């Protein structure tokens, strides 16, 4: 069974490590220590807890949308063409690239260094085992 550190769990839950640590301290999710003393959460426990957190609304989403796959991050590049534009966002370990209209980029005021959230909605999702 795979186990996760508090930091890894926080990234998967979409919260800060401090929040994940507080939840563990409060007993909301069970932890154990490895041989080096790090606190770990069993994968099955984390999976169940992540569903609980999502259903309880403990992690608030700032907007209302049908696209559930949100990647908050920082804009790292904006390339403007005459009609189209390309925006890159670094969201944790994920680099997302979006092609959209120049008008949309200008209306949103997207610039390198600002916070933005990439939302993904797809009819096909592939899952790889790590």
């Amino acid at each position: 069974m795979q186990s996760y550190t508090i930091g890894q769990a926080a990234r998967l839950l979409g919260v800060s490590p401090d929040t994940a640590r507080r939840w563990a301290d409060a007993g909301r999710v069970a932890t154990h220590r490895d041989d080096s003393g790090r606190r770990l959460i069993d994968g099955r426990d984390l999976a169940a807890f992540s569903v609980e957190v999502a259903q309880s609304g403990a992690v608030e989403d700032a907007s209302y949308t049908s696209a559930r796959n949100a990647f908050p991050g920082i804009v790292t590049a904006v390339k403007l063409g005459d009609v189209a534009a390309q925006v890159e966002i670094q969201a944790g370990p994920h680099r997302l690239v979006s092609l959209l209209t120049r008008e949309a980029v200008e209306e949103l005021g997207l610039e390198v260094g600002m916070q933005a959230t990439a939302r993904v909605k797809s009819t096909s999702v592939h899952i790889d085992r790590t």
Side-chain angles (χ1 to χ4, degrees):
M1 172 58 57
Q2 182 169 353
S3 293
Y4 297 88
T5 64
I6 294 289
Q8 291 169 324
R11 279 190 298 280
L12 292 169
L13 293 168
V15 299
S16 72
D18 287 337
T19 297
R21 196 172 295 107
R22 281 193 299 274
W23 286 342
D25 290 344
R28 291 191 58 194
V29 62
T31 63
H32 65 279
R33 298 219 181 246
D34 66 6
D35 294 336
S36 63
R38 293 182 309 166
R39 289 173 65 181
L40 300 175
I41 302 170
D42 285 332
R44 288 189 190 280
D45 292 338
L46 182 58
F49 183 65
S50 69
V51 171
E52 177 188 321
V53 168
Q55 290 175 343
S56 72
V59 179
E60 293 185 19
D61 198 11
S63 62
Y64 295 98
T65 178
S66 63
R68 299 292 183 227
N69 302 314
F71 296 88
I74 187 166
V75 176
T76 56
V78 176
K79 297 175 187 167
L80 296 174
D82 291 337
V83 176
Q86 178 178 313
V87 176
E88 294 182 25
I89 294 177
Q90 190 68 41
H94 308 290
R95 176 180 165 261
L96 296 109
V97 179
S98 178
L99 300 176
L100 56 164
T101 65
R102 178 185 181 118
E103 180 181 11
V105 171
E106 290 171 347
E107 284 179 11
L108 292 169
L110 295 176
E111 298 176 348
V112 171
M114 72 183 305
Q115 291 183 6
T117 300
R119 294 194 183 273
V120 179
K121 187 164 184 174
S122 176
T123 57
S124 177
V125 176
H126 300 265
I127 298 174
D128 295 332
R129 183 174 171 191
T130 55

